[in-house]
Amino acid sequence: MAITLGVHASNPSLYYLSRLTYLDEELAPLGETGAFHHYTDGTRTGELLADGTIDFGGTGSTPPVTAQAAGHDLVYAAVSEPRPDHGALLVRADGPVHGVADLKGGTVVLGIGSWQTHLLAKALHAEGLSYAEDITPVRPAAGTDPAQRLRDGEIAGWIAQGAELAAARRAGGFRELIRTGDVITDRSVFFTRRDFATDRPEAVAAIGAALRRADAWVAANLAEAAAIAAADLGGSAEDWRSALAGLPWRLEPATAAFVAEQQEAADIFHQVGFIDRALTVADAHLPALEAPVAAALAKAV
C-alpha cells in the first residue's frame, strides 16, 4: 500500500516534491511506494490525516494547532528553518495605519486558519488588542483583488505572501507594517498521525529525506521552479522566483524549542477564542522521532 502525502500549493516543499521522483526513491528501500493527494485548503490537513486520506502533511504554524484542538492525534515530524521574508502585513503607503494599534476597528484580509492568523493574532496581542474583538478578519473573496481593495481604502490591511507579495512590492504603493520575521518564525511544519509516527519512524524519516532533496532541487533550480509555479498557479515567473529565493529551503527535526513556539501560539489562540480549549502542544511532540529524522535529513544533503 502506498504512503500518501497531502499536497496543496501553500506548502512549497510538498508542492515541488509531488513533481519529482524523490519520494519513491527514498521509500523504495523500505519496500514502499509514495502517492500524493492534492487539495486546495491546507487548513484541512488535520482532518485528512485523521480520516486516513493522507498519512503525512505539511502547512504553516496554525493548522496543526487547530487540528490538535479539534482532537486529532497528530505528531510533529519536521519543520523548516524560519522564513522571515515569507510574508508581510501590508497597509496603504499614504493611509491612516501607521502601527499595529491603528488596525483597531478595521478589516484585514488574510488566510484565516493559516500561519497568517498566528502572525496577526500575536502582533495584536503585543499591542493589547484582540484578534477576535478588535479587528475584522476576512478571507480573500473570489474575484476580488486584495491589493486593489487596500489601495481603494476598503480594508485596513492585507497579509500577503509568495508571488503576491513580490508583485505588491514591485508595484509599490504599500508599506510593510510588519514583516513575518518581526513577529513569528513562520516555519513550514510537517506532521503525521501518531500511529504512523510510532509504527513507521523509518518511513517518516524517509519522507523527510525526500522533502530535503526536493528543497535542494528548488534552491538549485529557481528559474525552473518559478516557471512551474507561474504556469500552474498564476502570477509572473519573475515574482515567483523572487518569492522562492526568499525561502530557506532547509529542514530540521521538530524539537522542544519548536514546540515552545507552537505553545505560545496555542495560548494566544485560546485566549482570543480562535480555539476553544487550552492545549499542551508537547503532547504532539515525539522526541524519539528526532534522531531518525535528523539522520535522514543529514544524509539527504
Side-chain angles (χ1 to χ4, degrees), residues 17-296:
L17 178 60
S18 71
R19 294 171 172 270
L20 300 164
T21 62
Y22 300 140
L23 182 60
D24 277 340
E25 291 172 8
E26 293 294 335
L27 290 175
L30 305 178
E32 301 280 8
T33 59
F36 296 96
H37 175 77
H38 294 263
Y39 56 108
T40 58
D41 184 359
T43 64
R44 295 183 57 230
T45 302
E47 66 185 72
L48 293 174
L49 283 168
D51 68 16
T53 300
I54 64 175
D55 301 303
F56 187 100
T59 63
S61 55
T62 301
V65 173
T66 54
Q68 190 180 1
H72 301 315
D73 194 12
L74 61 89
V75 165
Y76 290 107
V79 298
S80 76
E81 291 188 356
R83 302 182 295 178
D85 294 314
H86 181 219
L89 172 55
L90 304 179
V91 297
R92 205 173 71 190
D94 60 353
V97 178
H98 301 285
V100 173
D102 296 329
L103 293 171
K104 185 174 182 177
T107 296
V108 180
V109 172
L110 71 153
I112 296 174
S114 75
W115 65 267
Q116 297 180 8
T117 298
H118 184 189
L119 174 72
L120 184 56
K122 185 175 179 181
L124 290 167
H125 183 76
E127 295 293 327
L129 299 176
S130 167
Y131 173 91
E133 298 175 359
D134 291 313
I135 57 101
T136 300
V138 298
R139 293 180 173 85
T144 65
D145 178 6
Q148 191 58 52
R149 293 185 68 192
L150 188 53
R151 290 189 185 95
D152 294 342
E154 294 180 18
I155 57 176
W158 167 42
I159 299 181
Q161 70 181 73
E164 286 186 327
L165 177 57
R169 284 169 168 163
R170 179 167 47 81
F174 304 108
R175 186 161 45 82
E176 296 184 21
L177 188 68
I178 50 175
R179 192 179 62 118
T180 305
D182 297 335
V183 181
I184 62 174
T185 57
D186 185 29
R187 300 178 190 270
S188 190
V189 181
F190 302 92
F191 48 104
T192 183
R193 291 187 307 276
R194 183 174 301 277
D195 63 334
F196 186 74
T198 55
D199 295 344
R200 301 298 310 277
E202 75 284 359
V204 175
I207 294 168
L211 286 165
R212 176 67 183 88
R213 292 175 65 189
D215 281 3
W217 180 88
V218 177
N221 297 276
L222 286 174
E224 185 176 351
I228 290 171
D232 185 35
L233 304 173
S236 74
E238 175 189 359
D239 289 333
W240 275 108
R241 178 165 184 159
S242 176
L244 295 175
L247 297 177
W249 302 110
R250 288 183 297 275
L251 300 181
E252 55 193 43
T255 64
F258 162 72
V259 168
E261 296 172 6
Q262 291 293 86
Q263 186 65 58
E264 179 187 61
D267 291 345
I268 293 172
F269 290 158
H270 181 235
Q271 181 176 330
V272 304
F274 189 73
I275 58 175
D276 61 8
R277 64 187 180 96
L279 293 182
T280 301
V281 175
D283 290 344
H285 180 217
L286 191 63
L289 203 56
E290 291 183 35
V293 169

